[in-house]
Amino acid sequence: MNNNEFNQIILSWKKYAELVNQDFVYHYTDIDGLIGIIQNNELWLSERNYMNDVNDEKFIEAYIKKYFNNSLNWEGSAVQRHLTPPENQFIFSTSLESDSVHNWICYGANGAFSIEFDRNKLIEFFREVSCADYFTYGKVLYTDDGIEQLLDEILNTFKELFFEKINSVVFDRDNSTQQKEFQKFYKHFYSMIKQKGHACEAEYRFLIKKEKELFFRTKNGRPVPFIKVKVEDQKLPITKILVGPYDKSDITIRSLELLLKQTGYNNIPIVQSSLNMR
C-alpha cells in the first residue's frame, strides 16, 4: 500500500472522528460535583478502564478475535499490545444534549445540574493541561453506527501494513508516518466506542493520557480512580448552568448566584430545566 492509498483511507476514516457543528457541550453532575467544579476551578477525569463501559472494550476485543478467525491467542499477544491503548487514559464526559430526560434520571432527584461549556475553549483548556501527552476528543460512536464496517476497514489496513512485521523489534521502533497516523486514529476510535443502549446519552468525550497523581471517589459502592486538572490563571469556560427538573426552588438559584459571585464566575446565567418531572 503506497502513501497515497493510505492517506485516502485515513481521510475516509476521519469522517467518523469529525467534530460536530455545535458550540456547546453539557456536563451533568450532582450538587457536590457542581460545587467542587466551581469552588476549586477544576475538573475530574475518570480513568477509562474503571468507568461503567467495560463491556465496550470487550466488544472490540471479541471482534478482533472474530476477524482473525478465532485463531489469535489474544492475551499477551503482540497484536493485543498494538491494538489496545495504554493505561492512564482519563475521560471527562459531556453530552450534546442540554436538557436530557435520560441524563437527569441518571443523576437522581437530589440535586442534578447541567453545566454548559464553550466546546472550543474547553478543547484549548485540555490541550494546555495535557501538555505533550496524548489528547483526543469527539462524539462517542455507538455500536449501531456502522462500527463493524469501520472495524473491518481498520483491521484490513492493519493486517496489510503491519501484521507480518508485528513481532519484529524493528516494528516497535518504527516511527513511520503510516504507523503514527494509524495508531493516532485507532486510539481515538477505540476510546470513543460505546454500546448502542447508551446512545440516548449523546456523549461527547475529552480524553487525555497523563501520568498524574491519582485520587479516588466512590461510585456504585466501588472506588474509581481519577485525576484533577486545572489551569491556575484562568476560569473554566462555563457559559450557563441548568438546574434539573426535580428542583423548582428559587433558593437553589439564589444560592448558586452567591457561589458564582464569590468564586469570580461572573455573568453566568442560571436557568431552570424546561422539563416537568417528579
Side-chain angles (χ1 to χ4, degrees), residues 48-111:
R48 182 177 177 276
N49 292 318
Y50 294 87
M51 298 174 70
N52 60 352
D53 311 321
V54 291
N55 289 328
D56 305 319
E57 203 163 285
K58 292 178 181 177
F59 163 82
I60 297 180
E61 290 186 3
Y63 202 90
I64 292 173
K65 293 177 185 178
K66 180 182 175 182
Y67 175 86
F68 288 106
N69 298 318
N70 297 311
S71 61
L72 178 67
N73 184 8
W74 173 260
E75 293 297 332
S77 69
V79 174
Q80 182 193 39
R81 187 170 71 252
H82 288 283
L83 292 183
T84 301
E87 300 288 330
N88 298 315
Q89 291 189 327
F90 297 90
I91 289 175
F92 182 68
S93 294
T94 64
S95 175
L96 297 170
E97 298 290 338
S98 65
D99 199 4
S100 160
V101 170
H102 173 85
N103 289 333
W104 289 130
I105 290 173
C106 285
Y107 285 92
N110 296 320

Side-chain angles (χ1 to χ4, degrees), residues 33 93 100 121 131 133 140 182 186 192 199 202 210 213 224 254-255 265:
S93 294
S100 160
K121 290 181 180 179
C131 299
D133 294 313
V140 166
F182 177 88
Y186 181 76
M192 297 292 171
K210 193 171 182 67
E213 180 185 3
V224 176
R254 292 204 304 271
S255 62
Y265 279 94

Side-chain angles (χ1 to χ4, degrees), residues 45-268:
L45 283 70
S46 298
E47 216 286 341
R48 182 177 177 276
N49 292 318
Y50 294 87
M51 298 174 70
N52 60 352
D53 311 321
V54 291
N55 289 328
D56 305 319
E57 203 163 285
K58 292 178 181 177
F59 163 82
I60 297 180
E61 290 186 3
Y63 202 90
I64 292 173
K65 293 177 185 178
K66 180 182 175 182
Y67 175 86
F68 288 106
N69 298 318
N70 297 311
S71 61
L72 178 67
N73 184 8
W74 173 260
E75 293 297 332
S77 69
V79 174
Q80 182 193 39
R81 187 170 71 252
H82 288 283
L83 292 183
T84 301
E87 300 288 330
N88 298 315
Q89 291 189 327
F90 297 90
I91 289 175
F92 182 68
S93 294
T94 64
S95 175
L96 297 170
E97 298 290 338
S98 65
D99 199 4
S100 160
V101 170
H102 173 85
N103 289 333
W104 289 130
I105 290 173
C106 285
Y107 285 92
N110 296 320
F113 302 86
S114 170
I115 306 174
E116 181 183 88
F117 288 92
D118 181 304
R119 183 176 61 83
N120 289 320
K121 290 181 180 179
L122 195 56
I123 290 168
E124 291 309 309
F125 167 80
F126 281 117
R127 282 196 202 282
E128 187 166 347
V129 297
S130 62
C131 299
D133 294 313
Y134 177 72
F135 167 56
T136 191
Y137 53 91
K139 182 179 179 181
V140 166
L141 305 171
Y142 299 93
T143 50
D144 58 350
D145 291 341
I147 299 306
E148 293 186 359
Q149 178 184 346
L150 180 57
L151 258 175
D152 274 341
E153 294 176 11
I154 290 171
L155 293 173
N156 285 340
T157 303
F158 173 80
K159 192 171 185 179
E160 181 175 346
L161 289 173
F162 310 126
F163 190 65
E164 297 300 324
K165 300 180 286 186
I166 198 165
N167 285 306
S168 167
V169 175
V170 176
F171 181 84
D172 288 324
R173 296 174 180 172
D174 185 3
N175 288 315
S176 69
T177 300
Q178 285 189 349
Q179 182 164 325
K180 287 190 289 187
E181 282 297 309
F182 177 88
Q183 291 291 352
K184 181 179 178 181
F185 177 81
Y186 181 76
K187 283 192 291 186
H188 175 94
F189 171 77
Y190 191 102
S191 303
M192 297 292 171
I193 298 297
K194 292 187 75 170
Q195 297 175 90
K196 64 181 180 181
H198 295 285
C200 51
E201 297 172 352
E203 186 176 352
Y204 189 95
R205 284 181 169 177
F206 300 84
L207 181 146
I208 65 174
K209 179 186 180 300
K210 193 171 182 67
E211 297 286 345
K212 213 170 185 298
E213 180 185 3
L214 286 180
F215 298 87
F216 292 85
R217 62 185 178 86
T218 59
K219 185 173 183 179
N220 299 326
R222 65 174 183 268
V224 176
F226 70 92
I227 61 173
K228 300 177 180 180
V229 296
K230 65 189 301 179
V231 179
E232 299 290 347
D233 59 351
Q234 62 179 276
K235 293 295 184 184
L236 295 167
I238 296 172
T239 50
K240 186 190 297 183
I241 296 175
L242 194 68
V243 181
Y246 298 105
D247 186 351
K248 302 295 185 182
S249 170
D250 290 340
I251 295 175
T252 299
I253 292 179
R254 292 204 304 271
S255 62
L256 285 180
E257 288 172 343
L258 286 174
L259 173 64
L260 293 171
K261 181 179 180 180
Q262 179 176 300
T263 52
Y265 279 94
N266 301 313
N267 303 315
I268 295 178

